Amino acid sequence: ADGLWGLQKGLAAGLLYQGLMNGVRFYCYSHAEDAGWTGYPGGTVAAGAAAGAVGAIVGSPAYLVKTHLQAQTLSAMVVGHQHNHESISGAFKSIYQQHGVVGLWRGVTGAVPRVTVGSAVQLSTFASAKDWVCERQWFRKGSWAAVLAGGMVSSVAVAVAMTPFDVISTRLYNQPVDADGTGKLYRGFLDCILQISNKEGLLGLYKGIGAVYFRLGPHTVLSLFFWDKLRNM
């Protein structure tokens, strides 16, 4: 219906989001690691969670626009609400004019738990898995193979942990809103969980987990690999 380029809808907004969110997230985690905070029991989990929360807040407007653009399609195959933005800049302008600065952060209540949990799981399992394969002498410490192995273990854990939050945040970001910016379908994070659980069952929170892994798997492995190697340089 949309051609091959239709599979790349929202790409520019997605790149903007990843740059903002992961730039802030990796910076905060690296700072915590350099300060020695990750050396304490549970330090990697706490640092990963805190870094994720800050990154989610910074990147939330870009994620909002990305979700709107990706959901847009031809009227013959429309699923869900259509915001009908013409471009990234037009989307930011339209949201700001209708709902002000606060409107740009609509859905952030779903984004913060999502990225907080995902970041805590991703960074802690990556560090633990990378150290574990080196301790077993399967790979040499600091080698690219050890980094990739850590990233692969982390990618599975992240997909399982993040999918429910992915479902919730996507619905919060993409729902239609009233003139005052209030969501027409869900009142907030907890209301969204309750509605999905009641109407679709707990498995409804894991809708799209296959697609989530095909996105998060390569993304986790590659981002952690480049982050690790660039830090060593």
Side-chain angles (χ1 to χ4, degrees):
D2 293 324
L4 287 176
W5 185 243
L7 293 171
Q8 296 292 351
K9 278 188 175 181
L11 175 62
L15 291 172
L16 175 62
Y17 167 69
Q18 292 296 338
L20 290 170
M21 186 273 290
N22 274 323
V24 170
R25 186 170 71 96
F26 283 135
Y27 169 78
C28 291
Y29 185 83
S30 298
H31 183 71
E33 202 169 43
D34 293 339
W37 299 339
T38 57
Y40 296 104
T44 54
V45 176
V54 177
I57 293 170
V58 173
S60 186
Y63 193 91
L64 173 66
V65 171
K66 175 189 79 75
T67 306
H68 287 186
L69 293 174
Q70 287 180 332
Q72 288 180 190
T73 186
L74 301 178
S75 58
M77 55 179 293
V78 165
V79 176
H81 186 71
Q82 301 287 290
H83 294 272
N84 300 316
H85 300 305
E86 296 295 329
S87 62
I88 296 178
S89 58
F92 280 118
K93 184 178 179 181
S94 174
I95 296 168
Y96 175 74
Q97 288 177 339
Q98 292 180 47
H99 307 294
V101 174
V102 175
L104 292 170
W105 268 268
R106 184 173 63 80
V108 71
T109 54
V112 171
R114 171 183 175 272
V115 183
T116 297
V117 170
S119 182
V121 171
Q122 183 193 63
L123 294 171
S124 61
T125 55
F126 172 66
S128 300
K130 188 174 63 169
D131 291 342
W132 188 78
V133 295
C134 292
E135 287 171 4
R136 295 294 183 280
Q137 297 184 340
W138 292 352
F139 303 112
R140 181 175 52 82
K141 189 171 183 178
S143 67
W144 63 268
V147 176
L148 283 180
M152 288 175 183
V153 172
S154 179
S155 68
V156 175
V158 169
V160 172
M162 278 188 73
T163 297
F165 298 94
D166 233 19
V167 171
I168 294 164
S169 64
T170 299
R171 295 196 186 191
L172 289 176
Y173 275 117
N174 199 52
Q175 69 174 323
V177 295
D178 293 327
D180 62 354
T182 304
K184 292 183 178 180
L185 302 178
Y186 309 104
R187 293 192 301 272
F189 183 79
L190 291 177
D191 181 54
C192 188
I193 292 178
L194 291 173
Q195 286 202 46
I196 293 173
S197 300
N198 291 335
K199 296 175 182 178
E200 303 167 53
L202 290 176
L203 289 180
L205 292 168
Y206 276 89
K207 280 186 173 179
I209 188 171
V212 169
Y213 180 74
F214 277 113
R215 180 179 73 83
L216 282 177
H219 178 272
T220 297
V221 171
L222 291 172
S223 61
L224 290 174
F225 177 79
F226 285 118
W227 174 59
D228 189 85
K229 290 303 175 187
L230 287 169
R231 287 188 69 199
N232 290 338
M233 292 168 62

